[in-house]
Amino acid sequence: MGGIPEMGNERMTTIVAIKDVVTQHIVMAGDLRVSEPETGRYYDSNLVPKVAVRNDVIFGVAGDKRLVDHVVLGWEPPETQADPVLAMHYELYPSLLEHIGDMEGDWQMLVGCRGSIFYVDSKGIASDDGHLTAAVGSGAAYALGYLQHAHGWSNTRGVADMAIQVASEFDMNTSSEAYVTEVHYDSIY
């Protein structure tokens, strides 16, 4: 999605998204690494995946663990039939900010809405720029590098999983284990 937004010095994770215009779906993967800021330790856990699908909205969150858990476990995106850009700006983003409330922490998200992928953080929204891939988090550059050179996308779930594995080779805050999910749309804008 253009460039990779900069984050603070907090530990992170890696989230990737792939838009498949042939099969009309978005695949999203997030690694399973969890870091504890208080102790500096990290471990892999599949208890709370960092990606989810609700009401035909697929999203993945990288950042402060408490905020990630709060969003993944609790955010219910409103159902929308609006154009994805309008839905993101006027329905989904306001709903997300209301859900987060006054929680503090550094975070980034990828949100897939009706076939468009958006980069979202506490500072605002970057609209879908037409790219078929996107990534956020500390391993985003490595994952995007892999995605830009991957060929034969007949298995987008496998490609997303492999992008996480590649990121884990270079980023200690990314686990090689990933949770992969997808959402299918009747049409992709």
Side-chain angles (χ1 to χ4, degrees), residues 1-5 13-18 28-29 60 62 108-110 117-120 131-145 147-148 163-164 167:
M1 300 204 47
I4 299 170
T13 194
T14 303
I15 308 290
V16 300
I18 301 171
M28 197 170 288
Q108 300 173 328
M109 287 180 70
L110 293 177
I117 301 171
F118 299 89
Y119 166 81
V120 181
H131 284 96
L132 299 178
T133 61
V136 294
S138 57
Y142 308 114
L144 281 173
L147 291 172
Q148 294 303 313
I164 295 291

Side-chain angles (χ1 to χ4, degrees), residues 55-185:
N55 296 331
D56 282 340
V57 174
I58 188 168
F59 54 96
V61 190
D64 181 271
K65 180 185 179 319
R66 293 161 301 178
L67 193 133
V68 170
D69 291 351
H70 182 69
V71 172
V72 170
L73 295 174
W75 183 45
E76 289 292 333
E79 293 186 33
T80 181
Q81 294 301 314
D83 169 86
V85 173
L86 296 175
M88 189 71 233
H89 286 270
Y90 297 108
E91 297 175 51
L92 299 175
Y93 190 63
S95 167
L96 175 66
L97 291 182
E98 181 180 333
H99 178 73
I100 291 172
D102 59 2
M103 287 186 77
E104 293 186 20
D106 217 359
W107 58 276
Q108 300 173 328
M109 287 180 70
L110 293 177
V111 178
C113 173
R114 304 198 56 223
S116 294
I117 301 171
F118 299 89
Y119 166 81
V120 181
D121 66 14
S122 58
K123 299 169 191 71
I125 306 164
S127 293
D128 178 22
D129 60 6
H131 284 96
L132 299 178
T133 61
V136 294
S138 57
Y142 308 114
L144 281 173
Y146 172 78
L147 291 172
Q148 294 303 313
H149 297 294
H151 299 286
W153 281 19
S154 60
N155 176 4
T156 49
R157 290 178 70 94
V159 171
D161 185 55
M162 183 55 77
I164 295 291
Q165 289 180 41
V166 168
S168 76
E169 291 291 320
F170 301 99
D171 176 41
M172 69 177 274
N173 297 310
T174 298
S175 167
S176 63
E177 299 295 320
Y179 177 82
V180 184
T181 191
E182 64 189 275
V183 65
H184 182 272
Y185 297 97

Side-chain angles (χ1 to χ4, degrees), residues 19-37:
K19 178 170 36 175
D20 189 326
V21 294
V22 174
T23 61
Q24 305 288 310
H25 71 277
I26 292 177
V27 169
M28 197 170 288
D31 78 287
L32 301 179
R33 178 79 23 108
V34 176
S35 59
E36 296 292 342

